[in-house]
Amino acid sequence: MTLARRLLAVLSLITASSAVAETTHYPLTMMNCGRDIHVDAAPDRTVTVGQSATEILYALGLADRVVGTSVWFTPVLPEFREANADIERIADNDPSFEAVVNRRPDLVTAQYEWHIGPTGSVATRDQFQDLGIDTYIMPADCDTKDNATGGDGTRTAAFSTDSVYKGIQELATIFDANDAGDELIDELKEREENAISRAESLSLPDDLSAVFWFSSPDGSSDPYVAGRLGAPGYMMDKLGIQNVIRSDEEWPTVGWETIARADPDLIVIATMDRRRYAADSVETKRDFLHHDPVASQMSAVKNDHIIEMDAHAMSATMRTIHGLETLVDALSGMSFSR
């Protein structure tokens, strides 16, 4: 072999080795939502409390490590239906501490800190730790967020998809699935960039405004709408849309009179299977918007600029990228006259 060929062979080996993600070395110590967690080996049995963690583990090819799921807003992504069908759903909403523990997990992954945190509705992290069970909370719910204030927490800085990618990478590291983590992040980043690029080609009005309505306890209650710094705020910021809600809370309640005075150009409503509140139903939301004497007078209602979006995409999850795509798809079919 000539010198030139030997050099090419060495370079190809270097390139190939650099494309392979580093193997996780155990025991692993990691800071997660203000707390050190220690993982002795890749978990074999995982219970998820929250759809975000569930679908990320499925996307990483780790469905065989999931022994129970809970807290579902919408159907599992189509590509995971087959895998999900064989895994026990412990609860549609909040599971009990006993139900989680009875699945004998060595790791519990949570989407929301209020489920497993200092005042966890399921349990505290210490309660799990006392039983030798590790816990992991998705960073998107605690990075740049204070969950001790506001109904669903208050953002201390704007949500970024970087926190979603961080969660994917950390779960991939915990399970020694680093290659799968890198591939998933690359795919989501590409989709994110493509959606933003498509939006730029639409030449949307500079003063376009919107409100994101998640749900309401009943017809007479103020709606839960998206604050300016959460996942919907990220979508609006990327597309140059103004959020008429200026609160830093994740999901503040705001009266329809206040929203109507702001008169948003778009109303984005959450679709979900959950039926905890009356307005979880998208039909109920639409009926209210068209028949309430105040809401029906808004420009978005009169112009039929009402967009349906997967409720899970409105949360800080990897589905936020899907939500961004949904928003761009809907806007591409709308016209705005000023």
Side-chain angles (χ1 to χ4, degrees), residues 1-13:
M1 181 183 292
T2 66
L3 177 60
R5 287 185 176 179
R6 283 200 299 270
L7 286 173
L8 285 172
V10 171
L11 286 172
S12 65
L13 287 172

Coordinates of all heavy atoms in Angstrom, one line a residue, residues 1-13:
M1 N 0.9 -1.2 0.0 CA 0.0 0.0 0.0 C 0.9 1.2 0.0 O 1.8 1.3 0.8 CB -0.9 0.0 1.2 CG -1.9 1.2 1.3 SD -2.8 1.2 2.8 CE -3.9 -0.2 2.6
T2 N 0.6 2.2 -0.9 CA 1.3 3.4 -0.9 C 1.1 4.3 0.3 O 0.1 4.1 1.0 CB 1.0 4.2 -2.2 OG1 -0.4 4.7 -2.1 CG2 1.1 3.4 -3.4
L3 N 2.0 5.2 0.5 CA 1.8 6.1 1.7 C 0.5 6.9 1.6 O -0.2 7.1 2.6 CB 3.0 7.1 1.7 CG 2.9 8.2 2.8 CD1 2.9 7.6 4.2 CD2 4.1 9.2 2.7
A4 N 0.1 7.3 0.4 CA -1.1 8.1 0.2 C -2.3 7.3 0.6 O -3.3 7.7 1.2 CB -1.3 8.6 -1.3
R5 N -2.3 6.0 0.2 CA -3.4 5.1 0.5 C -3.5 4.8 2.0 O -4.6 4.7 2.6 CB -3.3 3.8 -0.3 CG -3.7 3.9 -1.8 CD -3.7 2.6 -2.5 NE -4.1 2.7 -3.9 CZ -4.1 1.7 -4.7 NH1 -3.8 0.5 -4.3 NH2 -4.5 1.9 -6.0
R6 N -2.3 4.7 2.6 CA -2.3 4.4 4.1 C -2.9 5.6 4.8 O -3.6 5.5 5.8 CB -0.9 4.2 4.5 CG -0.4 2.8 4.2 CD 0.8 2.4 5.1 NE 1.9 3.2 4.9 CZ 2.9 3.0 4.0 NH1 2.8 1.9 3.2 NH2 3.9 3.8 3.9
L7 N -2.5 6.9 4.3 CA -3.1 8.1 5.0 C -4.6 8.1 4.8 O -5.3 8.5 5.7 CB -2.4 9.3 4.4 CG -1.0 9.6 4.8 CD1 -0.4 10.7 4.0 CD2 -0.9 9.9 6.3
L8 N -5.1 7.8 3.6 CA -6.5 7.8 3.4 C -7.2 6.8 4.3 O -8.3 7.0 4.8 CB -6.8 7.5 1.9 CG -6.6 8.6 0.9 CD1 -6.7 8.1 -0.5 CD2 -7.5 9.8 1.2
A9 N -6.6 5.6 4.5 CA -7.2 4.6 5.3 C -7.3 5.1 6.8 O -8.3 4.9 7.4 CB -6.4 3.3 5.2
V10 N -6.2 5.7 7.2 CA -6.2 6.2 8.6 C -7.3 7.3 8.8 O -8.0 7.3 9.8 CB -4.8 6.8 9.0 CG1 -4.9 7.5 10.3 CG2 -3.8 5.7 9.0
L11 N -7.4 8.2 7.8 CA -8.3 9.3 7.9 C -9.8 8.8 7.9 O -10.6 9.3 8.6 CB -8.2 10.3 6.7 CG -7.0 11.2 6.8 CD1 -6.8 11.9 5.4 CD2 -7.1 12.2 7.9
S12 N -10.0 7.7 7.1 CA -11.4 7.1 7.1 C -11.7 6.5 8.4 O -12.9 6.5 8.9 CB -11.5 6.1 5.9 OG -10.6 5.0 6.2
L13 N -10.7 5.9 9.0 CA -11.0 5.3 10.4 C -11.2 6.3 11.4 O -12.1 6.2 12.3 CB -9.7 4.5 10.8 CG -9.5 3.1 10.1 CD1 -8.2 2.5 10.5 CD2 -10.7 2.2 10.4

